[in-house]
Amino acid sequence: MIIGKKRTVLISGGTSGIGNALVRKFFSAGWNVATFGRNAGTVSGMQMEMGQEHFLALAADFRLENHVSSILDETARKFGTIDACILNAGTLGPAPLPRVRDIEMMDLRRTFETNLFANFSLMKRALRIMKSRSVLVHITSDAAVQPYAGWGAYGASKAAMRQLVEVLGVESNGSGLCAINFDPGDVDTEMHALAIPDADRTGLRNTADVAEELYGIITGKLGVVD
């Protein structure tokens, strides 16, 4: 049975960090929410907490194409079409952050496999079930446009995905699809702590504040009035 009437959002990597804050923001605002993560225990716990009717949490690795197909099939089966898709899942890559000359080829491939190819695969399939008026958001980073020492693998992979979304946005002009990149800034997450272990965390953004900002952007694009 498809759960209709409510708006629906698909959020990748919803088990932690910004993704989890987004899941909770959209769910509390009355949306149907579909999300996934690789930790089956965490996913199961979220499903039990949120309930079955307007929430779908799947254990999946979106680097695997059959898992991506299952994510979209299950989302469509339960909720039908989706109003918004947020490409949040990603990887920092090798840590501690290496200089470009020290990046191992396999580490670079793994970083691109997640931040570019897996995100592109999810985006491509999500577009098939998105409504005629919908929003697609890629969570990007200033490392995709600014050269920071040590951020070569991550920045290059995010820059590639950022450009694909920019081009999609141009190609979709007038179609009803709004495709955008969103840079949340420096946020207090596990990834940030892994990247910069000795950083002063007092000045970092809260994930809930980031989720609130992005929720406002998406609902504004859709013309949603709470």
Side-chain angles (χ1 to χ4, degrees):
M1 180 181 69
I2 294 174
I3 308 299
K5 296 184 181 179
K6 283 176 174 278
R7 292 185 182 272
T8 299
V9 60
L10 170 63
I11 303 168
S12 68
T15 57
S16 63
I18 294 172
N20 189 256
L22 285 166
V23 164
R24 295 180 183 283
K25 173 58 189 177
F26 278 86
F27 188 76
S28 67
W31 287 52
N32 294 320
V33 177
T35 192
F36 62 88
R38 285 185 289 174
N39 189 309
T42 302
V43 167
S44 177
M46 290 179 67
Q47 187 70 72
M48 290 180 63
E49 176 189 353
M50 303 292 193
Q52 297 291 328
E53 187 175 6
H54 298 293
F55 186 73
L56 174 65
L58 301 169
D61 184 342
F62 79 144
R63 295 173 298 180
L64 305 175
E65 291 196 13
N66 62 318
H67 284 211
V68 174
S69 295
S70 295
I71 291 164
L72 272 299
D73 288 348
E74 285 299 306
T75 300
R77 180 192 61 79
K78 185 160 188 172
F79 301 129
T81 54
I82 60 179
D83 299 88
C85 175
I86 304 176
L87 305 174
N88 165 74
T91 181
L92 176 65
L97 299 176
R99 299 180 303 170
V100 168
R101 68 183 64 195
D102 298 323
I103 298 173
E104 298 292 339
M105 182 61 74
M106 187 55 67
D107 286 335
L108 186 64
R109 290 183 186 276
R110 290 193 185 105
T111 306
F112 269 76
E113 186 63 37
T114 297
N115 293 346
L116 176 61
F117 298 117
N119 270 295
F120 177 76
S121 177
L122 180 63
M123 178 180 75
K124 187 175 175 66
R125 287 166 172 77
L127 289 172
R128 299 172 185 170
I129 66 168
M130 294 180 77
K131 291 182 179 177
S132 56
R133 184 177 183 182
S134 55
V135 180
L136 181 137
V137 180
H138 168 235
I139 305 296
T140 186
S141 166
D142 61 344
V145 294
Q146 295 291 335
Y148 298 118
W151 291 81
Y154 178 83
S157 62
K158 296 296 283 187
M161 189 63 202
R162 179 181 183 276
Q163 181 68 4
L164 279 173
V165 173
E166 291 281 353
V167 173
L168 175 64
V170 171
E171 293 173 342
S172 304
N173 186 35
S175 71
L177 171 68
C178 176
I180 61 173
N181 289 285
F182 173 75
D183 179 1
D186 293 330
V187 187
D188 189 7
T189 62
E190 291 181 10
M191 181 182 289
H192 191 283
L194 182 62
I196 314 175
D198 56 349
D200 180 4
R201 309 189 71 77
T202 59
L204 300 180
R205 297 191 69 189
N206 184 281
T207 56
D209 292 338
V210 173
E212 188 73 34
E213 180 186 357
L214 186 52
Y215 176 80
I217 291 171
I218 290 173
T219 53
K221 298 289 186 184
L222 291 172
V224 175
V225 178
D226 290 331

